[in-house]
Every structure is written in C-alpha cells, then in structure tokens.
Amino acid sequence: MTLVRCHRGIRPVLPRGHRLYGVPGGRIYLDVRESPMMLARALGLYEQAKVQALREFLEPGATFIDIGANKGDFTVLAASIVGPSGRVIAIEPDPDNFRWLRRSVEENAIPNAECHQIALGSDNYKGILHLAAMSGLHSLLSLPGRVEEGVEIVDVRALDHFIGDAGVDAIKIDVEGFEAEVLVGADRTLGKASLTSIFLDLHPDLGVDSAAVMSTLAGYGFGLHE
C-alpha cells in the first residue's frame, strides 16, 4: 500500500518509456511510470521472498521454465543462477511484454535463455488474452469488474505438449487466475522425477480454489514450503 501511494505521488517526475534498470541477476527494460509493480522491480523490492526462494532452490545446470515471464526479471535471475550449463525457457503471450522480454534477454547476452510468445493452458488452442492497464495483470480470464484495454488472440499450449520429454527442474507460474488450467496441461511434466520446485502465484481473488490447487500438487508429491 505504501508503494502504491508513493507511485501515485512521484509518477509525474518518473522517466517516461522503457529504460534499463538493474534487477537481481542483470538488467531489464521497465517503464516505471506504468505501475507500482514496475517501480518495485527497479527499486529491488519486487517479490523479494520469491527472489530468495529461487536463489535457495535453483542450482547450476538446472532447467527452469518461467511461465508468465512479463518483462523478464525472473528469467534473468534464473539464468544467472543456472549458468551456461543450464537452460531457461521464458513463456509470455502478450506481444508488448514479449518484445521487452526478448530485448532484456539480449541485453544480458544470455545464450541459454529462450523466449516463446505463447500462453500455457490445459490444451492446445487459440485463446483470448484480456489486456489490463497494468501489464502484469493481463489474463486469459475475462474478469468482471476489471477495466479492459483490449484483447489479443494468442496461441495456447499445454506444457506437456510444449516441453515433451525434456527434463525440467523448476517452474515458476504467474498467470493471473489461470493456474489450474496450466496444471491440467502439465500432468506428465509434474510427474517427472527431475522436477523439484514450483514457484506458484495463486490468485483466489480471481476465483482460484487454492485448496484444490494445493491438493492437486500434493498428489504429485509437492508440499508447501514456508
């Protein structure tokens, strides 16, 4: 809440447009005027617990999938941890986010990071991405009460189909209410012995049944880590 008030107060004096800012693991392109979330990234205050969790659980040589990569902050961080012997796969469906994600990966000269302009869901189909004013709030859900800035038709893929038989060590999922659908399409992947960590954002305010999602993950042997 403090950051929201701060952002409103200083927004007129913040620089316009996307610029490079230092984040854990490298630098990414951000428009700090856009939202408190983007300013928090530039200040090193964004999702600090998740940053620490990646540093604790990711290892050199690991394969990491960033589902809902946005501008690439966790993609860049993961690449710095897994190193040249690892692999980072960034998934981002929004064309504008994807453009800046790819530029951020190029800026950091990360040879082991690949970017894919798709969404993930329960199957393979064409989906409607509902665009919010803040780029971190785009969703494949049509959300009553949220002001839409437009829509994009995007390719949706099931993670099992997309990743195939490749090994996966860790997954980050931040998809604004579409978590359960992503997990449905990841049945085979969730059962892989190599997968040890899932960094999951849950959105019960968007209708997600958190208990049901955790029960699903428990069926694959995952437990909650404080």
Side-chain angles (χ1 to χ4, degrees):
M1 294 298 291
T2 301
L3 185 59
V4 172
R5 290 196 298 270
C6 171
H7 187 266
R8 288 172 178 165
I10 68 173
R11 188 176 185 275
V13 300
L14 292 173
R16 296 178 181 273
H18 286 79
R19 300 185 180 201
L20 280 169
Y21 293 90
V23 295
R27 301 199 301 169
I28 65 172
Y29 285 94
L30 298 169
D31 178 359
V32 294
R33 275 197 176 208
E34 180 206 296
S35 69
M37 293 180 289
M38 298 303 150
L39 180 59
R41 284 172 166 91
L43 295 174
L45 301 175
Y46 184 69
E47 296 198 333
Q48 292 171 299
K50 190 189 292 182
V51 169
Q52 181 58 38
L54 260 70
R55 286 175 166 158
E56 181 177 349
F57 291 104
L58 269 186
E59 296 181 352
T63 294
F64 174 79
I65 304 179
D66 188 356
I67 304 171
N70 197 268
K71 301 298 194 302
D73 46 331
F74 286 105
T75 295
V76 168
L77 173 60
S80 73
I81 297 170
V82 304
S85 62
R87 182 187 183 194
V88 177
I89 302 168
I91 307 295
E92 174 54 49
D94 174 63
D96 190 58
N97 279 344
F98 182 80
R99 179 164 64 96
W100 293 110
L101 164 67
R102 188 162 55 184
R103 287 192 62 180
S104 294
V105 168
E106 292 170 352
E107 169 66 26
N108 291 275
I110 307 172
N112 60 328
E114 54 194 75
C115 304
H116 298 270
Q117 191 179 339
I118 60 172
L120 292 185
S122 59
D123 208 340
N124 300 337
Y125 59 94
K126 294 285 186 181
I128 300 175
L129 183 68
H130 300 267
L131 306 180
M134 291 186 281
S135 65
L137 301 182
H138 303 334
S139 177
L140 285 168
L141 298 176
S142 178
L143 304 172
R146 176 179 289 184
V147 177
E148 273 192 18
E149 299 288 315
V151 298
E152 288 279 351
I153 305 300
V154 298
D155 290 322
V156 182
R157 296 286 181 267
L159 181 59
D160 284 347
H161 297 157
F162 176 73
I163 200 67
D165 295 327
V168 180
D169 299 285
I171 299 173
K172 188 215 89 180
I173 305 173
D174 187 358
V175 290
E176 293 301 312
F178 218 61
E179 298 90 283
E181 287 78 1
V182 171
L183 296 178
V184 168
D187 174 67
R188 198 167 63 248
T189 304
L190 293 171
K192 292 181 177 180
S194 63
L195 182 62
T196 59
S197 303
I198 300 172
F199 307 93
L200 175 65
D201 282 44
L202 287 171
H203 296 85
D205 56 315
L206 301 181
V208 176
D209 186 336
S210 298
V213 169
M214 295 309 299
S215 177
T216 295
L217 292 174
Y220 293 97
F222 291 96
L224 186 64
H225 177 80
E226 291 294 340

